[in-house]
Amino acid sequence: MNNIEHFAEILVDGGVVAFPTETVYGLGANAKNDAAVARIFEIKARPRFDPLIVHVSSLDMVNQVAASIQPIQRKLMEAFWPGPLTIIFPKLSVISDLVTAGLPTVAVRMPNHPVALELIRTAGIPVAAPSANPFGRTSPTTAAHVAEYLGDKVDGILDGGPCAVGLESTILSLIDGKPTILRTGGLAIEDIQAVIGPVHIAPPNDDLPQAPGRLQRHYAPATPMVLDPKRAIKPDSTTGLLTFTGRPDEAAFKAVEVLSRSGDLKEAASRLFAAIRRLDAMGLSLIVAEPVPDEGLGRAINDRLQRACKRG
Ligand code: TXA
Ligand code: MG
């Protein structure tokens, strides 16, 4: 039995395992097993009102989860799956209310990672999985991050290397028939619009129970962090800098993380969470963060930066 078969068996038996996806590491359980899904919430200390994304390995498997698929959703699945796009469907009753937090809908995606796809295919079940971090913390982009966060609590961690995208999936819902982005993420809105035309971006809203991935304070480091678009804060020996391409006075900070010297938003996205973690581990008094251009993946990067800066 190879490693993936071993982990698939744990899932089938009701266990909880961390696995790699192209976006971030997920914490997976059988989406049809209430007790297994309940353990995800326990392990993450996640509020029960925060629904999970169900991961599938084939278009066929969507039919085990979703009650119906609209033509526009089919178009999106064909264009972007496997990939960092989560689509909201009306749910089938086999999917537990725990997964969907009592909503009549279910969030589904097909991850673009060979290990994730083989795991789900081998287990033969839809896999409910949030990001593999304690609630409110930065999502893990390596197996080592997961081990630090939750190592002693899970039934296993499947190592598939660092995540290529590094931001959680973009979540799209058809609210009143209108394509609406509930969470910006690893698939750029421009790419979605090229396929289905204009989409609406829902404003962040702490009161919306179905979208805690959009809670204002989320993805947070323990160190205070501020966004400083105008470079108004002067460097000093206790502060750290999170910068997109670098800046002339960067050496005056105690620590510096450059997301992409060449200004590549994709590279910046893939490095973002690990960079925040490294700065957070340095005992700094403050992390000074610079926004990135607000286009393509930059929108999701800025969204995560803003929320990492909010104090709870
Ligand atoms: O890239 C990703 O999406 C990663 C990997 C592991 O797939 N997963 C992830 O899951 O980011 P999580 O639990 O951290 O975020 C899931 C978010 C929820 O917080 C909620 O905002 C949204 O998905 N969601 C889930 N089900 C929903 C539903 N039925 N309606 C609206 N939003 C939903
Ligand atoms: Mg999460």
Side-chain angles (χ1 to χ4, degrees), residues 4 19 23 29 31 47 54 78 114 127 137 147 205 218-220 222 249 253 256 270 281 295 298 301:
I4 293 184
F19 64 97
T23 59
V54 174
E78 276 160 15
V127 174
R137 303 294 300 279
N205 185 345
H218 213 72
Y219 316 104
D249 61 353
F253 287 89
V256 181
S270 71
E295 63 194 29
I301 296 174

Side-chain angles (χ1 to χ4, degrees), residues 164-246:
V165 175
L167 292 173
E168 301 84 354
S169 61
T170 300
I171 303 179
L172 186 132
S173 182
L174 291 174
I175 295 173
D176 301 327
K178 262 199 325 206
T180 303
I181 303 287
L182 296 183
R183 177 177 76 182
T184 55
L187 179 65
I189 291 166
E190 291 87 338
D191 292 342
I192 297 174
Q193 287 180 333
V195 173
I196 59 167
V199 301
H200 175 75
I201 305 176
N205 185 345
D206 277 356
D207 302 329
L208 259 187
Q210 73 266 45
R214 302 164 56 224
L215 285 176
Q216 300 245 350
R217 179 172 162 77
H218 213 72
Y219 316 104
T223 312
M225 183 162 148
V226 290
L227 263 180
D228 184 25
K230 301 213 165 104
R231 298 187 175 172
I233 301 171
K234 296 295 159 232
D236 81 45
S237 60
T238 69
T239 58
L241 175 68
L242 182 63
T243 169
F244 181 33
T245 57

Side-chain angles (χ1 to χ4, degrees), residues 7-258:
F7 279 82
E9 206 158 87
I10 297 177
L11 281 178
V12 170
D13 290 345
V16 174
V17 300
F19 64 97
T21 82
E22 81 282 27
T23 59
V24 300
Y25 274 72
L27 187 62
N30 181 351
K32 297 177 180 173
N33 179 331
D34 266 348
V37 172
R39 266 193 68 211
I40 291 181
F41 284 86
E42 249 163 62
I43 291 171
K44 280 195 61 140
R46 180 177 176 113
R48 295 276 175 117
F49 62 73
D50 192 359
L52 308 180
I53 295 172
V54 174
H55 297 69
V56 298
S57 58
S58 66
L59 293 181
D60 216 37
M61 215 183 243
V62 182
N63 297 318
Q64 295 179 37
V65 177
S68 63
I69 303 173
Q70 297 191 33
I72 190 172
Q73 293 172 320
R74 208 171 281 286
K75 215 167 157 182
L76 287 166
M77 288 153 67
E78 276 160 15
F80 299 114
W81 281 9
L85 175 68
T86 295
I87 302 175
I88 310 289
F89 298 96
K91 85 174 185 96
L92 282 177
S93 57
V94 285
I95 299 301
S96 83
D97 282 336
L98 208 46
V99 170
T100 61
L103 295 169
T105 55
V106 60
V108 185
R109 89 175 188 99
M110 189 191 293
N112 187 17
H113 194 295
V115 172
L117 289 173
E118 200 186 327
L119 175 71
I120 301 164
R121 197 178 305 126
T122 307
I125 45 173
V127 174
S131 50
N133 51 279
F135 186 69
R137 303 294 300 279
T138 311
S139 299
T141 51
T142 67
H145 296 170
V146 180
E148 270 173 51
Y149 273 147
L150 308 170
D152 52 342
K153 301 195 174 83
V154 299
D155 299 323
I157 300 172
L158 196 47
D159 190 346
C163 303
V165 175
L167 292 173
E168 301 84 354
S169 61
T170 300
I171 303 179
L172 186 132
S173 182
L174 291 174
I175 295 173
D176 301 327
K178 262 199 325 206
T180 303
I181 303 287
L182 296 183
R183 177 177 76 182
T184 55
L187 179 65
I189 291 166
E190 291 87 338
D191 292 342
I192 297 174
Q193 287 180 333
V195 173
I196 59 167
V199 301
H200 175 75
I201 305 176
N205 185 345
D206 277 356
D207 302 329
L208 259 187
Q210 73 266 45
R214 302 164 56 224
L215 285 176
Q216 300 245 350
R217 179 172 162 77
H218 213 72
Y219 316 104
T223 312
M225 183 162 148
V226 290
L227 263 180
D228 184 25
K230 301 213 165 104
R231 298 187 175 172
I233 301 171
K234 296 295 159 232
D236 81 45
S237 60
T238 69
T239 58
L241 175 68
L242 182 63
T243 169
F244 181 33
T245 57
R247 65 191 243 189
D249 61 353
E250 67 188 35
F253 287 89
K254 182 174 178 196
V256 181
E257 287 288 339
V258 180

